[in-house]
Amino acid sequence: YKGQDKHHHPVTIRIATSPAVNDFLEAEHQALLAMHGAADKFKDSLLPSVPRCLDSFLLTEPGKSTRRRANVLTYLPDLVSLGDVLTAYPSGIDARDMVWMWKRILGVLYRAHSVGLIHANCLADRLLLHLGNHGGIITDWSFAVKTGTQARAVVPEFLGCYPPEVREKKKVGPGTDLYMVAALMRRL
């Protein structure tokens, strides 16, 4: 959902669909905190590449006793997903464009991997591009896990996009994300 903070700046609000998936949004919150907490390791700002989690809390709906996790993230405007690019250019794109897209996405993954995190869900709609300034962003860190652990889950309709270690419930590492992104880039 798109919302506004108290200063009327746009924000993105993600709310768990049910209490059973609160842990996914908690994982996203922790992953974003870890990456932004280590931002001093990088000479440039991490903010353009990864949303910042401004707040995370449990909310109770009126008349219900269940609580769902909500994350308030920085709003990232003027983006298109890699899925949108694949749809718009079914015959492929110019190699020069593919190179800058690939480079930006790899930069984001480098930052995550350097703090021990694996996105583990690099699907086309999670890889966002700013076509004007050639920026690359990865969203939806709710599947993120630490290197050397099992993937949290898969999106069933995209099972074939995941590498063998995810489908076989083995430990994941940086190669997990690279496998998924490389498969998407080959389609460009």
Side-chain angles (χ1 to χ4, degrees):
Y1 302 104
K2 185 177 176 185
Q4 291 183 344
D5 67 10
K6 64 183 177 182
H7 303 292
H8 304 287
H9 297 118
V11 295
T12 299
I13 303 168
R14 290 177 37 102
I15 302 172
T17 55
S18 77
V21 295
N22 281 344
D23 60 324
F24 283 87
L25 287 187
E26 178 59 24
E28 175 177 66
H29 175 233
Q30 293 303 320
L32 295 174
L33 284 178
M35 284 186 286
H36 282 284
D40 61 341
K41 290 176 67 171
F42 311 107
K43 61 183 174 186
D44 57 342
S45 171
L46 184 63
L47 186 57
S49 304
V50 175
R52 182 179 298 276
C53 189
L54 304 171
D55 199 2
S56 183
F57 54 90
L58 291 170
L59 72 95
T60 305
E61 294 179 67
K64 295 186 179 181
S65 62
T66 59
R67 299 175 73 183
R68 296 188 294 156
R69 169 120 350 244
N71 287 345
V72 180
L73 310 174
T74 50
Y75 177 70
L76 305 168
D78 305 321
L79 300 169
V80 297
S81 75
L82 194 57
D84 295 334
V85 174
L86 290 166
T87 300
Y89 299 94
S91 298
I93 62 172
D94 185 284
R96 293 169 293 189
D97 289 324
M98 195 271 303
V99 168
W100 76 254
M101 292 175 187
W102 176 241
K103 187 175 177 184
R104 297 312 180 274
I105 298 302
L106 288 178
V108 179
L109 291 177
Y110 166 74
R111 289 173 168 99
H113 297 164
S114 70
V115 295
L117 290 172
I118 306 303
H119 187 278
N121 196 34
C122 294
L123 298 171
D125 64 339
R126 278 114 173 124
L127 308 180
L128 305 180
L129 303 162
H130 191 289
L131 302 180
N133 70 12
H134 286 194
I137 297 160
I138 299 180
T139 62
D140 189 4
W141 289 85
S142 62
F143 282 50
V145 294
K146 292 185 179 191
T147 300
T149 61
Q150 288 183 357
R152 183 175 302 283
V154 298
V155 179
E157 59 266 31
F158 294 106
L159 185 61
C161 298
Y162 294 91
E165 65 270 20
V166 173
R167 294 189 305 263
E168 296 167 11
K169 299 183 180 183
K170 294 182 179 176
K171 294 177 182 177
V172 299
T176 303
D177 289 340
L178 295 176
Y179 176 101
M180 294 186 79
V181 172
L184 289 169
M185 290 299 167
R186 281 194 310 269
R187 291 175 49 201
L188 287 175

